[in-house]
C-alpha cells in the first residue's frame, strides 16, 4: 500500500484545519458539496489505513452537513464493517441504498457484504437488482460465479 498521505494529498486542502477542529470539538460550518467529495475521499484513505476513529469523525461531520449523500453513507458503512460492526454497516448501507436505489455499484457492494456474511440469497437479490441498472456489467457475472462456487 502506498503511504496514506500521498493518497489524500490531492483532496486534502483544508483537511488539517477540519481535523483539528473535529478533534477539539470546535463547531465547523456545514461542508459544501466540494468538501463532501474531497473529505469523503480522505475519510476513505483513513479507513483503509486503520484510522477508523478519525474516519468516523470526518464522515459524521460530512453526514451532518449533507445528510442526503449516498456516498457518505456508503463510506460510513465501510467504516463500520472495518470496525467489526456489521449491524451499523448494514444500517448505513441500507440508508445509502434508500438514497440511491438505482445505483448499481451500491447494489454490488451490498451483494459483496451479504456474501461475506454468508447470506447468499440476499447477495443474489442485490446482484439481480444491479443487473437491472447496469445490464452486461462483467463484474456482476464474476460475482455470480463466485456465489455459485461458494454453494458448490
Amino acid at each position: 500500500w502506498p503511504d496514506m498521505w500521498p493518497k489524500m494529498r490531492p483532496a486534502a486542502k483544508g483537511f488539517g484545519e477540519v481535523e483539528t477542529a473535529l478533534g477539539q470539538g470546535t463547531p465547523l460550518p456545514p461542508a459544501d458539496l466540494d468538501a463532501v467529495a474531497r473529505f469523503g475521499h480522505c475519510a476513505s484513505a483513513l479507513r483503509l489505513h486503520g484510522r477508523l476513529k478519525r474516519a468516523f469523525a470526518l464522515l459524521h461531520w460530512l453526514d451532518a452537513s449533507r445528510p442526503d449523500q449516498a456516498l457518505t453513507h456508503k463510506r460510513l458503512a465501510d467504516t463500520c464493517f472495518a470496525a467489526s460492526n456489521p449491524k451499523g454497516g448494514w444500517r448505513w448501507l441500507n440508508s445509502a441504498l434508500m438514497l440511491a436505489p438505482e445505483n448499481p455499484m451500491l447494489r454490488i457492494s451490498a451483494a459483496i457484504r451479504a456474501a461475506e456474511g454468508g447470506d447468499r440469497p440476499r447477495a443474489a437479490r442485490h446482484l439481480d437488482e444491479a443487473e437491472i441498472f447496469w445490464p452486461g456489467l462483467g463484474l456482476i457475472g464474476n460475482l455470480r460465479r463466485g456465489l455459485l462456487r461458494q454453494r458448490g
Side-chain angles (χ1 to χ4, degrees), residues 8 12 20-21 27 50 63 78 121 124 129 140 146:
M8 291 173 46
T20 297
D63 183 54
D78 290 341
E129 291 166 353
I140 297 168

Side-chain angles (χ1 to χ4, degrees), residues 93-132:
L93 188 52
N94 286 333
S95 178
L97 288 164
M98 288 179 64
L99 289 168
E102 296 181 5
N103 184 313
M105 299 310 288
L106 287 175
R107 297 288 171 187
I108 288 169
S109 182
I112 291 168
R113 294 298 184 182
E116 289 172 345
D119 190 344
R120 290 181 195 91
R122 185 179 192 180
R125 282 193 307 274
H126 282 295
L127 289 177
D128 290 344
E129 291 166 353
E131 181 74 33
I132 290 168

